[in-house]
Amino acid sequence: MTALEPSACYRAVQTRDARFDGRFFTAVRTTRIYCRPICPARTPRFENCTFFPSAAGAQEAGYRPCLRCRPETSPDLAFWRGTSNTVARALALIAEGGMDDEGAGVTELADRLGVGDRQLRRLFQQHLGASPVAVAQTRRVLFARQLLHETSLPMAEVALAAGFRSVRRFNAVFRALHGRAPSELRRSKAPAGTAATGVTLFIPYHPPYDWESMRAHLEARALPGLEHVEAGRYRRTVAHARGAGSVEVAPAPRRAGLRVTLRLPDVQALPMVVAQVRRVFDVGADVDAIGAHLSRDPRLAPLVARRPGLRAPGGWDGFELAVRAVLGQQVTVTAARGLGARLVAEYGEPALTEATGHPLLLRTFPRPERLVHEDLRRLGMPAARAKTLSSLAAAAVADPRLFQPGASLEEAIARFKRIPGIGDWTAQYIALRAVREPDAFPSADVALLRALEDDHGVRPTPEALLRRSEAWSPWRAYAAQHLWAADAARAQAPSPTKDTHAPAAATAH
């Protein structure tokens, strides 16, 4: 289904086809409720149904979310992804609170994306059936509903966490939308907890999901003191202006999603940290659509079939990911991890065990302000690489939005390459992992070239690989992930002896 064709949508509703969960929502005119395609309620009559590409579209049209299928727990999918990068970048900014601050509106959002506000509104209506303001408000309301259902946070904390300025405004919005107070939506069996002592949330994804590949990627790069992977669980510290916290992520038992436990010093940090978890674990990827597109290439088809749920891991923080990328230039993953561990131990802020809840989570990643004037050569790296890190820290201090989505992939690459010491490979890698550009592709990467050797052991040139990758657009980042996985598997080791993310030729740094 490439568009919202009503008869196709209705067939999916009749069969409760889970493949379409998150791709559209069904609004019922007689009940004024909107549902997921898998809702267990009795199937409404076709003539009473209206289909929306997003929950925001249904909500803006005056429908309220179903209490049985809970639209807030739907996978974050959309059939249009890959066709409107502007909307995808806008949604990423909104998810990170881009319209939550006072004065932040559609005009500012459009300016950051390099388009006019009228064009942005038109694109949102075309692809989501809702305005950017409605999308931002729906995000807040649905997140609040999730907190009400899954936690026992006090109402005041739920309101603050969801971005409402006051409990009064929170109550008013819920009464207008649901016809009842927020407290009436709360489930008494929700586990006890606060943001400081720990709250647990469910983050859904559309299966399949290759958890083992994701876990292995994170474990191979985990920095001692900052991260810890154990028994299939990923833990790390979280930095905040009011102190350190932590996050723990593991597969949810018998459910298509992740179980995330957060311990944070400020409840208002919850939506931002949840957005970071979603980015790192790539839960919004439409692996069916991506796999079908990449499988058109006969070399990629068997790789996709071997790992149908493979995701492209993201970076927890843009600056942190960029530093890791620079540390990993032309060295092994193990060597880069050692440098990163020394960096965290020397310059990271201490984190108390009472705050993180785990004795091995000891420090947060150093902020750019901490590194900008330091002589990083003392960590045992070449002078040129230390200078690149200092330039990177200075650029991050000067532009707090340096690692946020912009007008285009090309604009992001150019922005990073203006930093002294950052070449094309590093810029593409940062765009892939930190900015979450699905078409980023470091064509000079030695492992990508090695994975496409022919039967005689001849590798393509970076230029030839770049030309070939054009057919994989707009999902070249996922093609790279499949090729990296294939190269690592061929080496028959979790971490290849050579860096799987090193440029094939010398770059500017």
Side-chain angles (χ1 to χ4, degrees), residues 347 371-380 383 386-387 390:
Y347 302 111
L371 300 181
V372 69
H373 297 302
E374 296 291 340
D375 183 2
L376 300 177
R377 291 176 297 177
R378 59 194 295 240
L379 297 178
K387 185 177 180 180
S390 298

Side-chain angles (χ1 to χ4, degrees), residues 321-335:
L321 187 283
V323 169
R324 288 176 181 246
V326 172
L327 292 177
Q329 292 168 356
Q330 298 177 329
V331 299
T332 65
V333 170
T334 302

Side-chain angles (χ1 to χ4, degrees), residues 142-204:
L142 293 183
F143 186 63
R145 278 173 52 98
Q146 183 176 14
L147 293 176
L148 290 171
H149 276 285
E150 299 180 15
T151 78
S152 61
L153 289 174
M155 288 296 163
E157 292 193 8
V158 172
L160 288 173
F164 290 92
R165 300 297 176 185
S166 68
V167 176
R168 177 179 295 181
R169 175 60 179 163
F170 175 59
N171 287 330
V173 168
F174 262 75
R175 284 191 179 277
L177 182 62
H178 299 287
R180 64 184 74 185
S183 58
E184 297 180 55
L185 298 178
R186 167 147 276 166
R187 292 181 176 178
S188 59
K189 64 180 180 180
T194 67
T197 60
V199 296
T200 299
L201 297 174
F202 174 73
I203 298 182

Side-chain angles (χ1 to χ4, degrees), residues 356-437:
T356 64
H358 197 280
L360 295 180
L361 299 181
L362 304 173
R363 291 185 175 273
T364 61
F365 197 84
R367 300 306 304 155
E369 296 83 0
R370 180 70 176 86
L371 300 181
V372 69
H373 297 302
E374 296 291 340
D375 183 2
L376 300 177
R377 291 176 297 177
R378 59 194 295 240
L379 297 178
M381 68 181 71
R385 193 163 304 166
K387 185 177 180 180
T388 298
L389 288 177
S390 298
S391 299
L392 181 65
V397 171
D399 182 6
R401 297 176 176 175
L402 180 64
F403 301 104
Q404 291 185 356
S408 65
L409 169 61
E410 292 72 24
E411 184 271 338
I413 297 300
R415 188 195 327 157
F416 299 142
K417 289 173 69 173
R418 285 195 290 268
I419 301 171
I422 299 294
D424 186 73
W425 176 85
T426 308
Q428 292 280 351
Y429 191 73
I430 295 171
L432 191 160
R433 298 283 191 224
V435 190
R436 304 304 292 149
E437 287 286 352

